[in-house]
């Protein structure tokens, strides 16, 4: 087979890249090891930055998002028994939208298949060769037949555990945090219209939602936590304790999903090797406290789609040569913001009275200083695409 861009991975990064390229008249083939059903059901983050929403609208992918997405114009920081709202609309004139990552994936798959896009699910044994100048992607299709895909460039959009980053030896920057999140998805209508970030002596808690009928909630736990040691009743009880505030009620309901997620920061530099370009989680991971993961992936592929289109149409390599540096400036800004939110809101695993008082001081400053609150709001809703932080 022959195509212009071989895309490994059918998450938001790979699918959106294929869609953007198609709009510019550039051919691509998307290869995914999982089934279509799996990638459409895989529950991930659900906070879309303002620039992400604007891009999806711009390229015709926001019909369902605009109908079903939940617009938020602020968040609450809850600590010391008080609730403090950060008003995004007042501070920066923008907001975020809660719309599950799996819903974005569904919309992208439907759009690509509707336009005749070439998506290959359930492929195995993916290999990369000729990345210096003539890439070949080998794979075994769902029918068991071995095939080779010749292409001009390869986009590695296959996540942190994918194979594309292993094709070269980037410099790794890594930090593992001494806590994890125990998360549940519950069939319980939200009782609060915006996300709540709680710093409690027992540990961090996050109150969020996925729809008017489904809530998504998290508790800070040790990284080695066995989810089977937490009953549903214990989880609800601890959530009630950590999220407690005057006038706040917590709806309980059947737990649909339960799991423990470790927290880490990771960046691979550079994000390019010859004709291979990494995007999204293949190149960087952020702790989820800052709600940046999917948004960074989308920002990456917006830059990459433009750079590849220019290169493939005219041979101009300016965009692809600058791709890694351009994306990494935004990546490191998001890494810092996510680290800052994480360190401000999570209780250290060992007793640290001095550190605890520093946390509370930072929280009080953030909710009483307009300048500090604006910094949080500006980073949370997302810096405009095209701006180099």
């Amino acid at each position: 087979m022959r195509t212009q861009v071989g895309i490994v991975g059918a998450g938001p990064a790979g699918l959106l890249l294929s869609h953007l390229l198609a709009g510019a008249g550039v051919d691509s083939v998307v290869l995914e090891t999982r089934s279509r059903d799996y990638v459409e059901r895989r529950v991930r983050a659900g906070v879309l930055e303002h620039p992400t929403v604007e891009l999806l609208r711009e390229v015709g992918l926001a019909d369902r998002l605009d109908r079903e997405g939940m617009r938020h114009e602020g968040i609450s920081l809850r600590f010391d028994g008080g609730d403090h709202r950060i008003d995004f609309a007042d501070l920066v004139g923008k907001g975020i939208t809660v719309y599950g990552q799996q819903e974005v994936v569904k919309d992208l798959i439907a759009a690509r298949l509707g336009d005749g896009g070439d998506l290959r699910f359930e492929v195995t044994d993916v290999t990369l060769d000729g990345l210096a100048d003539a890439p070949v992607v080998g794979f075994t299709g769902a029918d068991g037949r071995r095939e080779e895909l010749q292409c001009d460039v390869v986009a590695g959009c296959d996540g942190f555990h994918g194979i594309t980053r292993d094709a070269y030896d980037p410099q790794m920057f890594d930090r593992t945090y001494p806590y994890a999140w125990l998360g549940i998805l519950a069939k319980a209508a939200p009782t609060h219209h915006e996300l709540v970030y709680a710093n409690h002596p027992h540990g961090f808690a996050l109150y969020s939602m996925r729809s008017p009928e489904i809530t998504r909630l998290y508790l800070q736990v040790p990284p080695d936590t066995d989810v089977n040691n937490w009953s549903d009743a214990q989880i609800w009880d601890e959530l009630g304790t950590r999220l407690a505030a005057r006038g706040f009620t917590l709806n309980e309901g059947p737990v649909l999903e339960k799991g423990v997620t470790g927290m880490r920061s990771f960046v691979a530099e550079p994000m390019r090797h010859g004709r291979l370009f990494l995007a999204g989680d293949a190149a960087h991971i952020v702790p989820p406290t800052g709600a940046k993961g999917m948004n960074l992936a989308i920002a990456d592929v917006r830059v990459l789609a433009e750079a590849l289109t220019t290169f493939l149409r005219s041979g101009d390599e300016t965009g692809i040569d600058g791709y890694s540096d351009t994306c990494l400036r935004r990546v490191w800004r998001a890494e810092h913001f996510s680290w800052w939110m994480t360190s401000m809101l999570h209780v250290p695993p060992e007793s640290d009275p001095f550190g605890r008082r520093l946390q509370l001081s930072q929280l009080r400053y953030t909710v009483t200083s307009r300048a500090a609150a604006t910094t949080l709001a500006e980073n949370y809703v997302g810096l405009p695409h095209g701006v180099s932080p």
Side-chain angles (χ1 to χ4, degrees), residues 170-190:
Q171 185 175 6
M172 309 287 198
F173 299 89
D174 200 359
R175 171 167 294 182
T176 301
Y177 296 85
Y179 25 73
W181 281 8
L182 191 165
I184 64 168
L185 196 69
K187 189 175 182 180

Side-chain angles (χ1 to χ4, degrees), residues 317-329:
E317 298 188 15
T318 304
I320 61 172
D321 287 343
Y323 168 70
S324 182
D325 288 343
T326 298
C327 290
L328 285 169
R329 284 194 290 271

Side-chain angles (χ1 to χ4, degrees), residues 3 5-10 13-19 21 28-32 137 149 151 153-157:
T3 192
V5 183
I7 300 174
V8 184
L15 291 167
L16 181 58
L17 177 61
S18 179
H19 183 82
L21 292 172
S28 67
V29 174
V30 180
L31 305 175
E32 169 59 49
V137 184
L149 176 65
C151 41
V153 297
V154 175
C157 305

Side-chain angles (χ1 to χ4, degrees), residues 286-287 289-292 333-343:
V286 290
T289 327
K292 293 291 162 227
R333 172 88 297 273
E335 291 283 0
H336 183 274
F337 176 67
S338 300
W339 165 84
W340 177 71
M341 288 282 285
T342 301
S343 61

Side-chain angles (χ1 to χ4, degrees), residues 168 268-272 276-278 283-284 300 323-324 327-328:
Y168 68 114
E269 294 188 7
M271 293 168 58
R272 176 194 180 185
L276 169 66
F277 300 84
L278 301 186
H284 41 72
D300 286 348
Y323 168 70
S324 182
C327 290
L328 285 169

